Amino acid sequence: MPPREEYSSVYGGAYERRFPTCPQMPIVLDCEIIEDNVYDNGARRDTKRRCKIAVEAPYLIKKIIGVDVVFFIQQNFLDMKTRTLNIEATNESFATRVEIFEKCRYYAHPENPDWTCFDQTATLDIKNFFGIEHSMEKMGMKQYTQTTLKGKEIIEFFVNELKQEGITHVDRWADDATVTSTTVGTTNMALPEKPPLCRDNSILDADYIAKYLGQLTPLQESKLVQLRKRFEHASSAEYPEPDYQTLLRFLRARDFSIDKATAMLQESLQWRKEHRIDDILGEYKTPAVVEKYFPGGWHHHDKDGRPLYILRLGTMDVKGLLKSVGEDELLKLTLHICEEGLKLMKEATKLFGKPVWNWCLLVDLDGLSMRHLWRPGVKALLRIIETVEKNYPETMGRVLIVRAPRVFPVLWTIVSTFIDENTRSKFLFFGGPDCMHAEDGIEQYIDTDKIPSFLGGSCNPSIPTVVEAIPTKLYTRCFLSACHC
């Protein structure tokens, strides 16, 4: 094997250190270089290895296939001009029965000086394997999943090892005598000559991530970059390009699956265009009935800096609101609140100097009764939940439910089945009148001087304290003619 110092790429050098073996991958017993070629005056290097891998399978299966080890052919393609490292691996053993192909790619972020992108794919095609195809497929997928998680960690380990040895930069390959260098970090690589592009008056670098996005793993950062590339050109003609916070929210909602997040976000962007959601903050006019009788509004922040919205659902005249303004208007009101939330989160991020990418909802259920389970009201609520789940994922950081009466479990049983499991986990319940001062009360999440007076605090929120029903004279004529309730 050539001296490791000959590799002039940070990630190339880190990757090279895992051969011929490394403690993090004990199933790799040995690797032998069978081809090693350098082209274009050192700009490209292609390396081919034959790797000996221990078979991780039950004893019975090892006896059936008759081997304890298998061999793979691995090819590395390092291109210093394009700043890419491509890795391909195929099985040599049992090649007529099983086809395994894995591809990994490290490449410099086209916009940012401090990012290396990473993606990894694999296929497994079992044609005929001694009659145990299904078992081998399950074991193969399980082992691949475990190996995938280790691969990124191994690279990060050796990058940090380089830093500990005092190798804080490496020379970049250049056509002429000008040689530049790049700093070694967990996500650094050789840089483009042009300055990085700006998005939303910000540059996607480590400082931007820490300030606006929060803690991300290198793999999550890579997924974010890949999703951004998908919307970089396609969305420009049809709808505005989503910002990084939006991309990250949809990635989180789909467990960082790029394909699933892409499909979800595309549908949402099309929905926003069709319903003119981008204009709702400037165009929406709150109906007079809502201003007077809707018991909800924004109220300071919680202890984590999240914008806090208070909804006194127990005092709300659900039937009166629906008969006065209709289901579509209540949905529009909800969307306006959600858009306000997005705006307030950005303001909170600047105000507190840390990422605030969701908001807190405090729901007071004092006064809740069977009248709130009116069928059209429940139907409207479920429609609102479905719309918000699809288009505002991961915007709800915490839901504080206080003073829930006995009838609440009935409503919760109906509604909770329509709420995403991840969102349901954010609901916290506080029963009884002393939900403020109890040892596990809401003072854990809201500063004492910000707790509203109706919960025993000293702060008076600027929201209607509705106790009376909406007068029937305010009901719309079309609703009166259609409703026989």
Side-chain angles (χ1 to χ4, degrees):
M1 180 182 296
R4 289 169 176 161
E5 291 76 5
E6 291 183 8
Y7 255 119
S8 56
S9 163
V10 175
Y11 273 76
Y15 184 79
E16 187 75 9
R17 292 198 169 202
R18 63 178 290 183
F19 297 105
T21 61
C22 69
Q24 293 85 354
M25 292 286 284
I27 64 170
V28 180
L29 303 179
D30 192 21
C31 286
E32 175 190 3
I33 293 180
I34 53 180
E35 288 185 22
D36 194 15
N37 301 308
V38 178
Y39 306 96
D40 297 344
N41 195 29
R44 292 191 302 116
R45 180 180 180 182
D46 298 346
T47 306
K48 187 175 183 180
R49 293 180 175 89
R50 187 170 186 260
C51 300
K52 184 178 180 181
I53 312 293
V55 176
E56 288 195 339
Y59 174 77
L60 180 60
I61 293 180
K62 289 184 180 181
K63 292 293 288 183
I64 292 174
I65 64 178
V67 298
D68 291 320
V69 298
V70 293
F71 291 90
F72 274 73
I73 300 299
Q74 185 187 65
Q75 298 186 81
N76 302 337
F77 306 95
L78 177 65
D79 191 327
M80 301 302 294
K81 287 183 178 180
T82 59
R83 299 176 295 281
T84 59
L85 173 61
N86 292 301
I87 306 161
E88 297 179 359
T90 56
N91 60 303
E92 182 181 71
S93 302
F94 302 110
T96 59
R97 297 175 181 269
V98 183
E99 289 183 0
I100 301 174
F101 178 76
E102 181 182 16
K103 183 175 182 178
C104 303
R105 185 168 62 119
Y106 295 88
Y107 56 99
H109 189 321
E111 300 177 3
N112 186 272
D114 295 323
W115 276 52
T116 292
C117 305
F118 168 77
D119 54 51
Q120 186 172 17
T121 58
T123 59
L124 173 65
D125 183 12
I126 301 179
K127 300 177 180 178
N128 178 18
F129 209 81
F130 307 102
I132 54 173
E133 290 82 3
H134 182 64
S135 297
M136 291 301 297
E137 182 177 350
K138 289 178 64 177
M139 282 193 302
M141 293 309 296
K142 180 180 179 180
Q143 187 165 331
Y144 171 69
T145 301
Q146 295 172 344
T147 304
T148 299
L149 296 174
K150 289 182 179 179
K152 172 184 65 67
E153 295 175 1
I154 292 173
I155 289 294
E156 297 299 324
F157 173 83
F158 286 119
V159 166
N160 289 327
E161 187 179 81
L162 286 171
K163 293 175 65 177
Q164 291 172 4
E165 293 176 5
I167 305 175
T168 57
H169 73 278
V170 292
D171 292 334
R172 251 185 67 185
W173 181 91
D175 282 312
D176 51 30
T178 302
V179 179
T180 60
S181 63
T182 178
T183 302
V184 178
T186 56
T187 52
N188 294 344
M189 202 172 185
L191 318 177
E193 286 77 4
K194 62 181 181 180
L197 300 178
C198 293
R199 304 292 185 191
D200 306 314
N201 299 318
S202 60
I203 301 175
L204 187 59
D205 56 16
D207 290 339
Y208 178 87
I209 294 171
K211 186 174 181 179
Y212 295 102
L213 302 181
Q215 186 69 31
L216 296 176
T217 68
L219 184 58
Q220 290 172 340
E221 294 175 0
S222 176
K223 297 280 189 180
L224 180 61
V225 173
Q226 293 176 62
L227 185 61
R228 183 65 184 232
K229 294 296 290 184
R230 291 198 178 187
F231 287 91
E232 192 173 49
H233 304 295
S235 61
S236 58
E238 300 180 15
Y239 31 69
E241 188 175 344
D243 58 23
Y244 289 113
Q245 289 89 344
T246 300
L247 294 170
L248 184 57
R249 286 193 292 107
F250 279 82
L251 274 173
R252 291 187 186 279
R254 289 298 177 262
D255 295 323
F256 283 87
S257 167
I258 296 177
D259 290 337
K260 292 180 181 179
T262 298
M264 184 184 186
L265 183 51
Q266 285 176 334
E267 290 182 6
S268 180
L269 291 173
Q270 186 61 39
W271 169 83
R272 293 183 67 88
K273 178 183 177 183
E274 292 174 0
H275 296 276
R276 295 173 53 84
I277 303 300
D278 289 338
D279 300 321
I280 196 170
L281 287 179
E283 296 180 353
Y284 179 74
K285 302 297 181 183
T286 307
V289 173
V290 172
E291 285 188 351
K292 185 174 181 180
Y293 292 97
F294 184 76
W298 293 102
H299 178 74
H300 301 289
H301 304 85
D302 68 6
K303 286 188 175 181
D304 294 314
R306 298 184 178 102
L308 175 63
Y309 192 89
I310 296 177
L311 178 63
R312 301 196 67 183
L313 184 59
T315 65
M316 183 189 298
D317 181 6
V318 177
K319 182 182 291 188
L321 279 171
L322 270 174
K323 288 184 175 183
S324 300
V325 299
E327 182 179 315
D328 288 344
E329 189 63 40
L330 278 184
L331 175 60
K332 188 179 293 184
L333 168 65
T334 304
L335 299 180
H336 182 260
I337 293 172
C338 290
E339 289 297 310
E340 284 182 322
L342 295 178
K343 179 182 177 182
L344 290 172
M345 285 186 287
K346 291 184 178 180
E347 293 176 358
T349 295
K350 295 180 180 179
L351 176 64
F352 297 107
K354 65 178 184 178
V356 179
W357 45 273
N358 46 37
W359 48 285
C360 180
L361 175 63
L362 172 64
V363 183
D364 178 24
L365 296 182
D366 185 47
L368 190 77
S369 65
M370 293 302 295
R371 65 188 172 90
H372 289 89
L373 300 181
W374 184 52
R375 182 177 298 177
V378 174
K379 174 177 172 288
L381 177 60
L382 296 181
R383 180 188 174 193
I384 288 171
I385 291 174
E386 180 184 18
T387 304
V388 172
E389 288 278 1
K390 285 182 177 179
N391 300 286
Y392 299 92
E394 297 297 315
T395 55
M396 188 65 66
R398 186 181 293 132
V399 183
L400 307 177
I401 305 293
V402 300
R403 301 198 292 182
R406 291 183 179 180
V407 72
F408 174 70
V410 180
L411 179 61
W412 179 246
T413 301
I414 298 173
V415 172
S416 62
T417 56
F418 296 90
I419 301 176
D420 179 80
E421 181 179 354
N422 186 42
T423 303
R424 285 203 306 271
S425 67
K426 300 173 183 177
F427 279 69
L428 302 174
F429 300 91
F430 303 87
D434 192 25
C435 59
M436 171 181 169
H437 298 294
E439 183 177 346
D440 56 350
I442 62 174
E443 283 184 317
Q444 300 175 83
Y445 308 104
I446 303 175
D447 288 325
T448 304
D449 61 346
K450 299 296 189 298
I451 294 179
S453 55
F454 61 82
L455 293 180
S458 58
C459 194
N460 294 313
S462 56
I463 59 175
T465 55
V466 181
V467 291
E468 74 274 11
I470 297 175
T472 56
K473 65 181 180 180
L474 298 178
Y475 292 0
T476 58
R477 184 174 301 176
C478 61
F479 201 108
L480 284 171
S481 63
C483 181
H484 305 287
C485 302

